[in-house]
Amino acid sequence: MAKRQFAVTVAGGGSTFTPGIALMLLKERDRFPIRKIMFYDNDAERQEIVAKACEIYLRENAPEIEFGYTTDPETAFTDIDFVLAHIRVGKYAMREKDEKIPMKYGVVGQETCGPGGIAYGMRSIGGVIEILDYMEKYSPNAWMLNYSNPAAIVAEATRRLRPNSKILNICDMPIDLEEKMANMVGLKSRKEMQVGYYGLNHFGWWHKIYDKDGNDLMPEIKKHVAENGFADGIAETNQHVDDSWKETFRKARDVYAVDPSTIPNTYLKYYLYPDYVVEHTDPNHTRANEVMEGREKQVFGACRDIIAKGTAKDGGFEADAHATYIVDLACAIAENTQERFLLIVPNEGAVENFDRTAMVEIPCIVGSNGYERIAQGAIPQFQKSLMEQQVGVEKLVVEAWIEGSYQKMWQALTLSKIVPSARVAKLILDDLIEANKGYWPELK
Ligand code: NAD
Ligand code: G6P
Ligand code: MN
């Protein structure tokens, strides 16, 4: 019997990741057959550049796949099986403000952590919910695989506002870090490891790592991380290659030192070493500038080149090898593979001694009926206390968005571990409100 063929909508068609994802989908067609790819974005001009180049590539390499791009929700979301969502509400111009405004007050400015992440969250909630609603209206049986950031806040918002929707929130940071750890112990792939992990998104720890025979890999991995973090002596993956990322991988050594019984997610550096991060950040040239000068320029340059030549035959495009986890996830749903993934899901007791309503990042088994949590037991005092503070921030942001509450936003910023006081929180908040006019709900 011929395998079922799937229709996929990429939401955030103008994203720098879209060409890599489209090529990856083509490459993986044997296990995940595609009949239609549709791009959707609310910025027609930006999307058109990416879409026209992908159209040429697809015509040359897979003419049998139906392809289209649109800003019209009905066209985008009708007759589809999956939505792959990676939108950035406000684009890099707003990411730059998220990073630079806190820095004015000597506070870490980061895409997903602290005030920057809070500001981005207030912009993203509406955008992601809107796409979810379009999907449910036009293709009620479809699934949304969401990796739009800030995933922690977005996930909490979907839990509160759309608790029964078919959405899986996932992050790629653990994927890259697990590849690096597999490499440290001489395994070919992270898929040869089975892990225990708990935390919030961009805020978690590995507490168990075994190989396929059940051997404990933690001692050898810890030895490497204690000396080099996630850097040095291991092969580079094809993602997170800029110098600032290498620095983050090295800094994981100091993050690890705070609790050598677990292996930390790299994002914890912003919470445990904020002073160091601020000292090592140029307030006039942040990660957003690096990305605009690097990845954005490169991807859009390649697209324009393909369009000008009318062919994609001379290269310029590359499949995003590491994004195959998205196809793994789609296959798990489509074919009931019961594969394990780290997902961001309501806790419901999986982390025994932690808020049942928190959106936690934990291993889950995924099949055609969705996910089942794998219980992680009780967690240590240190992690539990950090997570309680951080989950409070995330919940307050979502409440502030729903209620339009200035007070709750001020509390969220004040609670954030990397904001030193309520006074600084208010100064940052007032600047962020000004910068986010038209993106945030009005706060009273
Ligand atoms: P980008 O700015 O290049 O692309 C985002 C696109 O989304 C833009 O074309 C923009 O016009 C579009 N968009 C914004 N608001 C929209 C809306 N309401 N509806 C439809 N489209 C909208 O950004 P990028 O750097 O390519 O990143 C895209 C997203 O993927 C970001 O949210 C980023 O944080 C996320 N990301 C997540 C992970 C993860 O691990 N979860 C990994 C990489 C990137
Ligand atoms: C990791 C995280 C993502 C984040 C990205 C930022 O992959 O898991 O959530 O969006 O890094 O990378 P960038 O290159 O845009 O700074
Ligand atoms: Mn992430």
Side-chain angles (χ1 to χ4, degrees), residues 112 147 149 151 170-174 201-202 267:
T112 63
Y147 36 100
N149 268 318
I170 190 162
C171 167
D172 68 356
M173 196 72 244
N201 178 239
H202 289 184
Y267 275 94

Side-chain angles (χ1 to χ4, degrees), residues 166 328 396:
K166 287 165 134 177
D328 295 338
L396 281 165

Side-chain angles (χ1 to χ4, degrees), residues 132 135-136 140-145 162-168 368:
L132 195 51
M135 177 186 90
E136 293 185 334
N141 296 319
W143 279 86
M144 176 159 162
L145 311 184
R162 300 292 183 272
N164 301 316
S165 292
K166 287 165 134 177
I167 175 171
L168 296 179
S368 45

Side-chain angles (χ1 to χ4, degrees), residues 378-437:
I379 59 174
Q381 188 68 57
F382 176 62
Q383 281 84 357
K384 180 172 180 277
S385 301
L386 284 169
M387 282 164 61
E388 270 162 0
Q389 182 179 31
Q390 179 60 20
V391 85
V393 174
E394 291 159 7
K395 283 181 176 292
L396 281 165
V397 172
V398 173
E399 283 175 21
W401 189 89
I402 293 171
E403 297 165 22
S405 166
Y406 180 95
Q407 199 75 38
K408 286 193 171 167
M409 267 303 274
W410 185 17
Q411 289 172 353
L413 282 154
T414 303
L415 190 60
S416 177
K417 182 164 166 53
I418 58 187
V419 177
S421 73
R423 182 186 72 87
V424 175
K426 197 166 199 304
L427 290 169
I428 295 176
L429 175 56
D430 291 341
D431 276 15
L432 288 175
I433 289 174
E434 199 47 43
N436 281 279
K437 280 216 167 97

Side-chain angles (χ1 to χ4, degrees), residues 37-244:
I37 298 178
M38 184 63 83
F39 290 178
Y40 168 76
D41 204 290
N42 65 358
D43 179 339
E45 238 175 275
R46 182 179 176 91
Q47 171 168 260
E48 183 155 56
I49 301 164
V50 174
K52 281 211 157 129
C54 289
E55 188 170 46
I56 293 169
Y57 187 95
L58 282 161
R59 199 173 56 220
E60 289 176 342
N61 294 280
E64 67 284 7
I65 294 180
E66 181 188 340
F67 175 74
Y69 59 96
T70 181
T71 55
D72 171 50
E74 184 170 355
T75 313
F77 296 97
T78 299
D79 177 35
I80 51 154
D81 304 298
F82 290 96
V83 176
L84 311 184
H86 53 218
I87 62 165
R88 182 186 292 286
V89 180
K91 294 172 277 190
Y92 294 126
M94 289 309 293
R95 176 176 181 175
E96 186 179 7
K97 292 188 183 174
D98 293 343
E99 293 170 352
K100 289 184 177 172
I101 289 171
M103 285 295 291
K104 265 174 61 185
Y105 303 96
V107 172
V108 171
Q110 212 280 327
E111 179 195 21
T112 63
C113 304
I118 291 171
Y120 187 12
M122 288 290 280
R123 292 196 303 276
S124 290
I125 294 171
V128 172
I129 296 273
E130 182 181 74
I131 289 173
L132 195 51
D133 288 349
Y134 290 147
M135 177 186 90
E136 293 185 334
K137 179 169 178 198
Y138 298 113
S139 289
N141 296 319
W143 279 86
M144 176 159 162
L145 311 184
N146 181 55
Y147 36 100
S148 310
N149 268 318
I153 290 170
V154 167
E156 168 65 7
T158 56
R159 182 191 73 85
R160 282 287 304 270
L161 300 167
R162 300 292 183 272
N164 301 316
S165 292
K166 287 165 134 177
I167 175 171
L168 296 179
N169 291 293
I170 190 162
C171 167
D172 68 356
M173 196 72 244
I175 306 250
D176 189 28
L177 297 175
E178 286 179 11
E179 282 304 342
K180 287 178 163 54
M181 292 191 277
N183 216 293
M184 287 171 202
V185 295
L187 296 177
K188 274 201 223 61
S189 148
R190 69 187 165 83
K191 293 193 178 176
E192 294 172 39
M193 304 191 312
Q194 194 161 76
V195 309
Y197 184 95
Y198 59 78
L200 312 169
N201 178 239
H202 289 184
F203 204 95
W205 294 263
W206 283 269
H207 62 110
K208 291 190 284 197
I209 306 181
Y210 299 110
D211 70 12
K212 285 220 158 135
D213 298 321
N215 298 307
D216 185 3
L217 300 174
M218 284 290 264
E220 204 180 332
I221 294 172
K222 282 181 180 177
K223 201 162 160 275
H224 183 104
V225 177
E227 284 165 19
N228 309 297
F230 291 100
D232 305 325
I234 50 171
E236 257 185 32
T237 53
N238 68 344
Q239 204 209 9
H240 306 128
V241 290
D242 291 347
D243 285 348
S244 51

